[in-house]
Amino acid sequence: MECFLCGPHPETTIWDGVTVSFNSRHLQSSLEPPTSISPGKSPVRPNVIYVKGQQCLQDKSLRQSLRRIITGPSLLLPAKPQSTLSRGQLTDNPETLEADESDDNDEAIGSERSNQQKIGKDILARVELIPKVMESLTTVNVDLAQMFDYWFGISALSARREAPSAYHRFFTQVAADESILQMMNRPALATLSTFNRNPTHKQLSLLIHIPALYNILEIGFTRGSGQLLSWTIGVCKWLQDRASAVMERLLEKNMSAGAAGEARLPGVDGRTLVQKDWKLTGCYYAMPQVRARPEYPQLAYDQAKKDSATVGAKRGNCSKYYSRYSESRLTGGIMVKAGTTCFLRSIHAGRLPQSVLYTTSRARSAPTV
């Protein structure tokens, strides 16, 4: 099963999962999830370990405070605050209103005032975070701090400057708890490096695979009549440096895993691997298995699940999986890989990042995106 346009190994792929599952009492001994290890055939990669601090901003408190500021109602209070209730609703004159209508209006006015007070307190708390966030961002990167101040800082509030939605999305990505490589993969990082050497509007299309950055640069070129502000260029260079540092730390561990030795392991070309019936294993793929799935002894999620009396320990590395499936005694859902023409590539039940597992054991070459 493959697309006649993209072929068996499309450059651009889309992964999505749904929570289709069944009760664990129906599990059969023949089921083999994609995490199964092939004895004697699975290469062992003991050097692959977790790499901490992969986020754009390594300070967790800074990430939380930044998200707090940019999330919620606008920090720009209206020049003349007005109630959302109409003039007639705010009238509380017994000579013009019936008694029951007056009571209803009193309740509505009280509720409205209470809501406004809550919103006001929330906005005040967010504004009070700005100086501390500015100080922390300045220590990370001065250009990033200037961009934040212009659109979300005290200067933005003083000038009553509302940030475009693209800047909300960009700083949401910057403040994310996930790896910066979720924002840009290795090929995208290479194109960012090319752009930074010549940051012109003509080169902007290179960054189409980094949409959060692409969108704010597009606004920057438009507002600057084809020229970017110096701090915008500085932010681009900072993102490149930060992503490169994370990438180097990851590759340092993976490159020492002994790839040359793995090539001589049996089953790497698929000829010695038994293609099992998916009706028994519970996993269906559009392509045959071409290599054994590697074993990662230093990764906690790669180990057998240990019994524990504590809920926290049972949750392990994926609380979503535990609360949604394990507590209800359900199996995992299904994952679908598709190309840009939306064709079905593979489905299986599982609990781990299945794009990695599929590429490892099925695809002869990894997709670019």
Side-chain angles (χ1 to χ4, degrees):
M1 184 189 302
E2 67 181 59
C3 174
F4 69 94
L5 293 175
C6 303
H9 307 294
E11 283 292 302
T12 302
T13 57
I14 303 170
W15 293 83
D16 195 14
V18 293
T19 53
V20 177
S21 57
F22 52 87
N23 196 286
S24 58
R25 68 172 178 271
H26 298 302
L27 289 174
Q28 302 296 320
S29 59
S30 63
L31 292 180
E32 293 185 9
T35 54
S36 298
I37 303 299
S38 302
K41 297 181 180 180
S42 292
V44 180
R45 297 178 177 174
N47 294 322
V48 178
I49 62 174
Y50 289 113
V51 176
K52 298 181 179 180
Q54 298 185 43
Q55 300 86 354
C56 283
L57 303 174
Q58 298 185 65
D59 187 337
K60 181 179 179 180
S61 177
L62 173 58
R63 296 197 303 269
Q64 292 174 337
S65 296
L66 201 158
R67 291 196 300 264
R68 179 83 169 86
I69 293 172
I70 66 177
T71 303
S74 172
L75 296 178
L76 301 180
L77 296 174
K80 294 182 180 180
Q82 294 181 351
S83 171
T84 57
L85 299 177
S86 66
R87 180 182 298 274
Q89 288 176 304
L90 291 174
T91 301
D92 188 12
N93 189 336
E95 296 179 1
T96 58
L97 297 175
E98 297 293 335
D100 56 345
E101 292 179 347
S102 178
D103 292 340
D104 291 341
N105 283 337
D106 287 341
E107 293 180 4
I109 293 171
S111 176
E112 174 71 10
R113 288 174 178 169
S114 177
N115 289 336
Q116 288 181 348
Q117 289 176 351
K118 290 180 180 179
I119 293 174
K121 289 181 179 179
D122 177 72
I123 290 177
L124 180 60
R126 291 161 59 196
V127 170
E128 290 176 343
L129 288 173
I130 292 177
K132 183 179 179 181
V133 167
M134 274 296 301
E135 181 182 354
S136 299
L137 285 178
T138 302
T139 62
V140 173
N141 182 265
V142 174
D143 296 309
L144 182 67
Q146 288 182 323
M147 178 182 288
F148 175 81
D149 183 52
Y150 185 83
W151 290 113
F152 299 100
I154 300 300
S155 65
L157 300 181
S158 301
R160 300 192 59 77
R161 186 166 44 244
E162 189 70 64
S165 58
Y167 282 91
H168 281 271
R169 292 192 294 270
F170 173 76
F171 275 99
T172 298
Q173 289 269 307
V174 169
D177 290 331
E178 289 76 30
S179 170
I180 187 176
L181 300 182
Q182 295 277 18
M183 179 189 292
M184 65 187 84
N185 58 14
R186 198 175 186 181
L189 177 56
T191 59
L192 176 58
S193 176
T194 302
F195 174 83
N196 283 338
R197 288 194 291 270
N198 183 25
T200 62
H201 190 268
K202 188 177 181 180
Q203 296 278 86
L204 181 59
S205 60
L206 291 172
L207 305 181
I208 193 67
H209 291 306
I210 316 176
L213 181 60
Y214 175 91
N215 290 333
I216 66 168
L217 292 181
E218 192 172 37
I219 294 175
F221 278 120
T222 301
R223 293 172 61 92
S225 301
Q227 298 294 323
L228 292 176
L229 294 172
S230 59
W231 72 59
T232 303
I233 298 175
V235 168
C236 292
K237 293 179 178 179
W238 169 74
L239 284 173
Q240 177 190 339
D241 292 341
R242 177 68 188 133
S244 297
V246 172
M247 181 70 71
E248 289 175 4
R249 290 171 59 203
L250 289 170
L251 293 179
E252 178 185 3
K253 298 300 180 183
N254 283 279
M255 295 303 288
S256 60
E262 292 175 10
R264 296 190 295 271
L265 290 173
V268 71
D269 58 1
R271 288 176 295 181
T272 60
L273 292 173
V274 178
Q275 306 300 322
K276 300 180 181 180
D277 186 352
W278 70 271
K279 295 179 182 179
L280 298 176
T281 64
C283 299
Y284 172 79
Y285 295 94
M287 294 189 292
Q289 186 173 359
V290 296
R291 64 181 65 86
R293 187 255 182 185
E295 182 179 358
Y296 303 92
Q298 299 299 322
L299 301 183
Y301 67 73
D302 208 55
Q303 307 303 309
K305 194 172 182 180
K306 298 180 180 179
D307 294 332
S308 175
T310 63
V311 173
K314 287 183 179 180
R315 288 181 183 273
N317 292 305
C318 185
S319 58
K320 177 181 176 182
Y321 173 81
Y322 179 79
S323 60
R324 181 167 293 179
Y325 298 114
S326 295
E327 285 185 328
S328 302
R329 298 187 62 77
L330 297 177
T331 63
I334 65 173
M335 181 66 69
V336 177
K337 176 190 176 187
T340 53
T341 52
C342 297
F343 61 96
L344 184 66
R345 296 292 299 177
S346 65
I347 63 173
H348 58 246
R351 61 172 290 190
L352 299 180
Q354 305 300 351
S355 58
V356 177
L357 296 175
Y358 185 88
T359 301
T360 300
S361 62
R362 303 280 165 170
R364 292 186 180 275
S365 60
T368 301
V369 182

